[in-house]
């Protein structure tokens, strides 16, 4: 018998908590059911399958991460906004590794669910808004967004995997990387400069 008050949101949060503990790819419907104290079949009233659950975890995480970034960057511009944005991203990845992983695999998200979720759209708006503060316009905006995402995600993924073995602390390198990104964004090459065929 299903526990009273079981909802799609509760199932999603339980799955997200489990993902942070054991890794997103290790989450199963049976584990989530045990966590909630219900039979497996009870979950299927609220989510169709594991793929939908993982998609919902991704959207929950996108909302959470976006809220953090929005709060961190509110009223800031330029380097101050960039650093606040990057630090909020990295802290979320550290604190919620399973949820963060879910945000990096968009193919797992049902397009119908994604269309209803504000997190991913708001994340794009925040990123583009911050970069407009550097005077960037398309197509440079998109290129800069991709650079930032690649840098932030690459750094936290390597950090999580223990990929920084040098005696210099990752924090020191993170600070310098943000300094370098700020300098690059302030001196973004004009369209066509430095292009290679």
């Amino acid at each position: 018998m299903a526990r009273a008050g079981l909802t799609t949101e509760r199932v999603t949060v339980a799955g997200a908590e489990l993902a942070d503990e054991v890794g997103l790819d290790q989450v199963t419907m049976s584990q989530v059911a045990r966590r909630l104290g219900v039979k497996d079949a009870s979950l299927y009233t609220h989510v169709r399958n594991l793929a939908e659950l993982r998609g919902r975890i991704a959207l929950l995480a996108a909302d959470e991460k976006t809220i953090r970034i929005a709060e961190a960057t509110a009223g800031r511009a330029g380097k101050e906004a960039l650093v606040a944005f990057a630090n909020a991203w990295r802290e979320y990845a550290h604190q919620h590794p399973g949820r963060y992983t879910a945000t990096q695999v968009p193919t797992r998200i049902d397009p119908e669910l994604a269309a209803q979720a504000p997190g991913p759209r708001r994340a794009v708006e925040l990123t583009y808004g911050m970069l407009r503060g550097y005077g960037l316009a398309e197509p440079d905006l998109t290129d800069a967004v991709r650079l930032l995402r690649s840098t932030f995600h690459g750094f936290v993924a390597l950090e999580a995997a223990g990929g920084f073995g040098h005696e210099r602390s990752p924090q020191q390198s993170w600070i310098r990387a943000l300094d370098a990104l700020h300098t690059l964004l302030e001196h973004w090459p004009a369209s066509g400069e430095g292009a290679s065929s």
Side-chain angles (χ1 to χ4, degrees):
M1 182 158 128
R3 178 185 290 178
L6 191 64
T7 63
T8 300
E9 182 180 358
R10 284 192 63 210
V11 172
T12 302
V13 169
E17 290 170 350
L18 193 58
D20 287 339
E21 293 168 17
V22 302
L24 181 69
D25 289 334
Q26 301 304 311
V27 172
T28 67
M29 296 295 277
S30 293
Q31 288 174 315
V32 174
R34 279 195 298 277
R35 188 178 196 95
L36 291 167
V38 300
K39 294 189 181 296
D40 293 15
S42 300
L43 299 184
Y44 294 98
T45 303
H46 304 285
V47 293
R48 287 188 307 261
N49 51 39
L50 183 58
E52 180 184 324
L53 175 60
R54 288 179 174 170
R56 287 183 180 279
I57 292 168
L59 294 173
L60 170 69
D63 286 345
E64 291 174 341
K65 185 164 74 88
T66 300
I67 289 167
R68 283 200 188 187
I69 290 171
E71 290 172 351
T73 58
R76 300 174 190 261
K79 184 177 182 182
E80 192 179 347
L82 173 67
V83 170
F85 186 109
N87 286 339
W89 177 305
R90 184 176 175 222
E91 286 164 12
Y92 187 84
H94 285 177
Q95 292 167 2
H96 298 290
R99 298 179 210 210
Y100 175 77
T101 297
T103 67
Q104 301 304 307
V105 191
T107 56
R108 289 187 172 158
I109 303 174
D110 180 330
E112 284 184 33
L113 286 177
Q116 301 167 20
R121 285 190 308 275
R122 183 74 177 117
V124 171
E125 291 167 4
L126 283 168
T127 310
Y128 277 71
M130 179 191 64
L131 289 171
R132 282 190 191 95
Y134 282 98
L136 298 179
E138 290 295 1
D140 295 329
L141 268 173
T142 294
D143 294 339
V145 167
R146 289 174 176 168
L147 172 65
L148 293 186
R149 184 176 178 205
S150 300
T151 303
F152 300 162
H153 176 64
F155 196 100
V156 299
L158 286 167
E159 195 171 26
F164 297 134
H166 193 275
E167 63 185 31
R168 182 169 171 80
S169 78
Q171 177 62 19
Q172 291 171 308
S173 296
W174 177 254
I175 291 168
R176 293 298 291 145
L178 297 182
D179 287 344
L181 283 173
H182 170 67
T183 300
L184 171 61
L185 292 168
E186 282 197 315
H187 303 283
W188 193 265
S191 186
E193 281 186 23
S196 58
S197 45

